[in-house]
Amino acid sequence: MSDEAKECRLAANDLFKRGLISMALDKYTECIDLLIKNLTSAQQGDNNSGSINNDIACCYANRSLANMKLEMYGSALTDASKAIEYDPTYIKGYYRRAAAYMALGKHKLALDDLRKIAATAENDKFVHSKIKACEKIIHQIRFEKAISVDSRNSRPLAYTIDCDSLAVEGSYRGPHLDESGKVTLDFIHELINHYKEQKILHKKYALKILCNVYDLFAKSPTLIDLTVPSDGKITICGDIHGQFYDLLHIFELNGLPSETNPYLFNGDVVDRGSWSIECILLLLSFKLLYPNHFYITRGNHEAHSINQIYGFQGECRVKYSQTMYELFTEVFQVLPLAYCINERVLVMHGGLFSSDDVTLDDIRKIDRNRQPPDEGLMCELLWSDPMPQDGRAMSKRGIAIQFGPDVTEKFCQRNNLDYIIRSHEAKTLGYERAHNNRCITIFSAPNYCDSMGNDGAFIRLSGSDLSNPEFVQFQASPHPDLKPMAYANPVML
């Protein structure tokens, strides 16, 4: 490796360690380009190029990990495959590719790569534990398919669970719903304090909240039209990802939700952070207390295939039960997919579409009460991302699309919108204006996963001046000593 390439790789590794992942990714790209030039020179000079191939493989594997951190799983998969192409004996390349396959739900392909590693490292207990975890997921998926029934032919759990028959033990010292089983403001204050003490809400009340809120969401349309009066406002938050103490900080900065202080949380409330239960149950409680002034969008992480991997299912099982998780899954399936504010601003979690013909009525007609498909309008609403250049491209995530300024402009013109607000991507400042201010990203999980170093942000929108959103930035709050992904599936590498 040349001195220039060596310095470049060291700089990339340092940026990665400091949590500057996007900058590290660019530096790894620079290093790969330098190494490929070195390789070409070595081949022309008839020198041994084996060590350079290994160096290139190493950089591709490192860039694959950086892409994983940025949730660009499609790019992570491509880089891992490149690492293997340059050095088929490079074990870390297979690890990285297996992780990317798992993130994309391609469990059998991940298992194939893990078994290739095991074939060369028979006594590696780590890889054998990953193989067992991967096999368990595959068996679970087969079992679920074997026993699955069309949800339209079966009564939802929310309508069959008898919450009132559950006893509350005398030793329980947490918050109680009122005598009629309803959420009150006193209950919410007690719940926040209870959660600050790292205690769990009694399962009777958790089940009651889920059953009641299921019915509320199930009666809502897929796209909800919101009216913010000229003398009113609404606060829009992006991804929370189980970062409960940062969620509380938002309420400290902006006040608790109320009829005069409405909120919209734009998806990805759960997964990755290790207090997802606390986040979602608190937000659902606010929805029950203020049904016409508190709103939640479905994100790509409100999905079973993702919750299996990134921690929410595991957290539910530890804190409650598999039945509780299944009830959460039902609730996630009836969350609205989009909101339109004063007929001028569309809010969705991911982004726009692979066709220019999509209208708001098309979104309204989406059958959302299901697990997200791998393509189509629902998939793109949950997964798509903006890009700086015009046109459309395959997503670096490996699902849905990237869309350019021209796509946003046409969509807004076709639907008489001023701009769109979406979330889905960590941003250094907590927000980003793009596409001539027609596409705004808002992200509310500061120092994402305790490693990204980003600010969080939320938007204040005034009904009298929607054209001038106010961005409020904030930094991460201290939290108890529990790492992100504490409940994630152990197959995540």
Side-chain angles (χ1 to χ4, degrees), residues 67-197:
N67 275 308
M68 285 287 290
K69 288 281 187 180
L70 294 174
E71 302 182 6
M72 302 302 183
Y73 307 124
S75 296
L77 178 60
T78 300
D79 280 348
S81 295
K82 275 288 188 182
I84 293 166
E85 179 185 326
Y86 274 94
D87 187 351
T89 67
Y90 188 58
I91 294 298
K92 194 173 284 187
Y94 293 97
Y95 274 123
R96 296 285 178 257
R97 193 165 71 177
Y101 277 139
M102 285 302 300
L104 291 167
K106 299 179 179 180
H107 309 104
K108 292 180 181 178
L109 291 173
L111 185 59
D112 288 343
D113 275 343
L114 290 170
R115 284 174 172 163
K116 287 173 185 173
I117 300 168
T120 63
E122 294 182 6
N123 298 319
D124 189 332
K125 293 181 180 179
F126 176 79
V127 72
H128 283 287
S129 70
K130 299 298 179 186
I131 288 172
K132 287 182 180 178
C134 192
E135 288 174 338
K136 186 175 179 180
I137 288 179
I138 292 170
H139 293 153
Q140 183 179 343
I141 291 170
R142 285 176 183 163
F143 176 73
E144 288 170 354
K145 284 183 178 178
I147 65 169
S148 66
V149 218
D150 189 327
S151 61
R152 292 166 180 76
N153 298 326
S154 58
R155 193 167 167 79
L157 280 172
Y159 295 150
T160 61
I161 292 174
D162 183 7
C163 303
D164 294 329
S165 67
L166 295 173
V168 178
E169 300 80 3
S171 58
Y172 175 69
R173 293 292 180 267
H176 296 251
L177 296 173
D178 73 6
E179 292 182 359
S180 63
K182 292 183 178 179
V183 170
T184 64
L185 187 56
D186 284 343
F187 170 83
I188 283 181
H189 282 298
E190 291 175 17
L191 182 63
I192 289 172
N193 290 330
H194 194 65
Y195 282 158
K196 282 181 179 178
E197 296 172 0

